[in-house]
Amino acid sequence: MKEVVRVRKIAVGIHHAHHHYHHGWFVMIATGWVKGSGVALMSNFEQLLRGVWKPEANEIMHMSFPTKASLYGAILFTLQQTRWLPVSKASLIFIFTMFMVSCKVFLTATHSHSSPFDVLESYVCPVLFGTALVGDHHHDNHGGAHGGSHGGSGPGSPHSAMATKSKEELSEGSRKKKTKKAD
């Protein structure tokens, strides 16, 4: 039921924003996104107001499935509201609700934390940003040579350093991280 309410909130947010800002696409998308994702996005603003900024818990940088789905839904409902998407509002609500419910049931049943949007994002991110979504490891090599190949497993790559560590060293490192977090 949470996903049904989420889709309704996105649609109502887009409708209200369109009523006040007819050509304000950004305002419509932002309103639908915030109404759909709710406290997940508002917690960033609340942390800024309190002065307790946690960049590792930033929902905009590390979006969960409901936040991503709310953003994509807000874009779809904005396109429908401005008549760029030739689908009736009732049909779009039904289709997007079925998508959200089936994804949530599948993710819950499989105990998965991955996003169903990963396939789409793996194609779109290299086109828009010039890099792969999972290719964040190329910035980890701060001590190695900056020339040469970035994607291989040469002597300066981070993959060769990980391969030389034994299992004991890796488990010791994870123990140290866990005790650091506990402190």
Side-chain angles (χ1 to χ4, degrees):
M1 287 306 293
K2 187 186 271 189
E3 301 308 318
V4 174
V5 172
R6 184 183 319 273
V7 173
R8 186 184 61 81
K9 285 183 179 181
I10 294 170
V12 167
I14 299 296
H15 179 74
H16 285 157
H18 181 61
H19 180 70
H20 293 289
Y21 304 98
H22 297 292
H23 301 292
W25 286 40
F26 180 74
V27 174
M28 287 188 271
I29 290 171
T31 304
W33 188 25
V34 169
K35 285 186 76 82
S37 63
V39 74
L41 286 178
M42 293 309 292
S43 65
N44 291 331
F45 184 66
E46 178 259 336
Q47 287 174 2
L48 283 173
L49 287 177
R50 287 190 309 141
V52 186
W53 177 248
K54 299 175 191 171
E56 67 275 357
N58 189 343
E59 184 67 22
I60 295 172
M61 299 301 288
H62 306 285
M63 288 191 208
S64 60
F65 168 70
T67 305
K68 281 184 186 180
S70 296
L71 175 62
Y72 295 143
I75 292 170
L76 284 174
F77 280 104
T78 299
L79 291 173
Q80 187 276 330
Q81 189 73 35
T82 56
R83 310 258 191 263
W84 281 80
L85 188 63
V87 177
S88 70
K89 188 173 185 176
S91 297
L92 185 60
I93 288 174
F94 176 74
I95 291 168
F96 197 69
T97 301
M98 289 294 110
F99 170 75
M100 292 286 288
V101 168
S102 61
C103 284
K104 194 66 170 183
V105 167
F106 177 76
L107 293 174
T108 304
T110 59
H111 301 289
S112 176
H113 296 289
S114 66
S115 173
F117 301 115
D118 287 343
V119 176
L120 173 71
E121 291 169 355
S122 67
Y123 289 114
V124 173
C125 284
V127 172
L128 292 179
F129 306 115
T131 183
L133 182 65
V134 293
D136 291 336
H137 65 276
H138 67 279
H139 291 291
D140 292 342
N141 189 15
H142 295 289
H146 291 289
S149 68
H150 293 285
S153 59
S157 75
H159 296 296
S160 65
M162 288 296 281
T164 59
K165 287 187 177 182
S166 66
K167 262 188 175 177
E168 293 82 22
E169 290 172 333
L170 290 174
S171 64
E172 181 181 346
S174 65
R175 272 197 306 266
K176 287 179 183 177
K177 286 180 186 176
K178 286 180 184 176
T179 55
K180 223 180 207 184
K181 282 184 182 178
D183 293 337

